Amino acid sequence: MSLPDVSSGPDVERAGTGRAAATRRRPFALLGSELGLLFRRRRTWAMLGALALVPILIAIAVRATTGPDRGGPAFLGDITNNGLFVAFTALTVSIPLFLPLTIGVVSGDTVAGEASHGTIRYLLVAPTGRLRFVLVKYVGTVAFALAATLLIVLVGAAIGALLFPIGPVTLLSGTQVGGWSYAGRALLLALYVAMSMLGLSAIGLFTSTLTNVPVGAMAATVVLAGASQVLDQLPQLDWLHPYLFSHQWLGFGDLLRDPISFDSFGANALLQLGYVVVFGALAYSRFATKDVLS
């Protein structure tokens, strides 16, 4: 896990004062500055590149190890019959580990990274306001989650079309839809997965306000993501499962039926909204009383 790209010292101070000046000039400058800083970092592109490798490696592995006369799991047969399933398989593989890992890194660095570099004071002197600061940091994490899921879907569709035949897709309900119709469903899947990361993003934002050490906040967020999934697998805690933020992560089957049902989408949205409200409020409460100007 790499450290933030920006080092401490005079360069950081100049960057902080520059962002503060831009914030005074334009109402939405802080959000633009945050998104620009996030997506200019080599670490961000390295994580996106690693996520893009997931569908590529899956497609290459299936292409190299399966054939008309070889067996294997059903989903591998789906990929060999239709390359559009690469995107779906890559999303399913990425949800338990790879996406939470990258979201934990980005969200854990939101406030703690600025605190470790000493740039918060310049942003708040702008004046930015602490509530606006917290909201902008959270929106930046959400933007990364959306970009990551869309990247997996797009790369999966591209490599699937390159290595396998493309044709009508058989949905879970047994009906077939054309490639363009499935593309729309794939985008809905990406939105579902990105929405599934909203609760974890809020938790990461909160942990980031508790420390000035970004690596600590990153690690805590990733560990909580793993712990939630472990608890969700214990039948003794079935009463707790509906309240775990990871409980609906793989519940996108309704989007692959005909007609589309948005029941799981709505349930997941409500669950994630609860975590956003609770941990967003905790993050702001902690940051509002945090001494960042000394």
Side-chain angles (χ1 to χ4, degrees), residues 40-256:
R40 284 196 305 267
R41 283 177 169 169
R42 292 188 298 271
R43 182 185 66 197
T44 300
W45 286 102
M47 290 188 296
L48 290 175
L51 290 173
L53 282 176
V54 174
I56 294 175
L57 293 176
I58 289 175
I60 292 176
V62 172
R63 181 70 176 180
T65 59
T66 61
D69 300 326
R70 300 184 185 182
F75 73 88
L76 295 183
D78 292 336
I79 291 176
T80 57
N81 294 329
N82 197 326
L84 294 176
F85 278 105
V86 173
F88 171 74
T89 305
L91 275 179
T92 304
V93 171
S94 299
I95 289 174
L97 176 61
F98 301 114
L99 278 173
L101 178 62
T102 55
I103 296 298
V105 171
V106 173
S107 61
D109 187 55
T110 48
V111 178
E114 298 279 8
S116 67
H117 300 318
T119 53
I120 290 182
R121 64 175 68 93
Y122 300 106
L123 295 173
L124 295 183
V125 166
T128 295
R130 300 201 178 202
L131 177 59
R132 183 183 173 195
F133 180 86
V134 170
L135 288 175
V136 165
K137 289 296 183 180
Y138 183 71
V139 170
T141 305
V142 173
F144 174 84
L146 182 59
T149 53
L150 288 175
L151 179 66
I152 293 173
V153 169
L154 293 176
V155 173
I159 192 66
L162 181 64
L163 297 181
F164 304 102
I166 298 295
V169 177
T170 302
L171 301 176
L172 297 179
S173 55
T175 58
Q176 286 190 334
V177 296
W180 288 110
S181 177
Y182 182 77
R185 293 171 186 265
L187 291 178
L188 285 177
L189 286 175
L191 291 176
Y192 183 98
V193 174
M195 179 181 66
S196 297
M197 298 294 121
L198 294 182
L200 180 62
S201 299
I203 293 173
L205 178 67
F206 171 61
T207 60
S208 189
T209 64
L210 300 177
T211 178
N212 293 343
V213 182
V215 175
M218 297 173 189
T221 305
V222 174
V223 168
L224 288 173
S228 178
Q229 294 180 80
V230 170
L231 293 176
D232 201 24
Q233 299 301 316
L234 299 178
Q236 296 84 353
L237 298 177
D238 55 351
W239 58 270
L240 180 63
H241 295 170
Y243 304 101
L244 296 173
F245 61 86
S246 62
H247 183 62
Q248 294 284 348
W249 279 4
L250 296 174
F252 42 69
D254 289 344
L255 300 178
L256 298 175

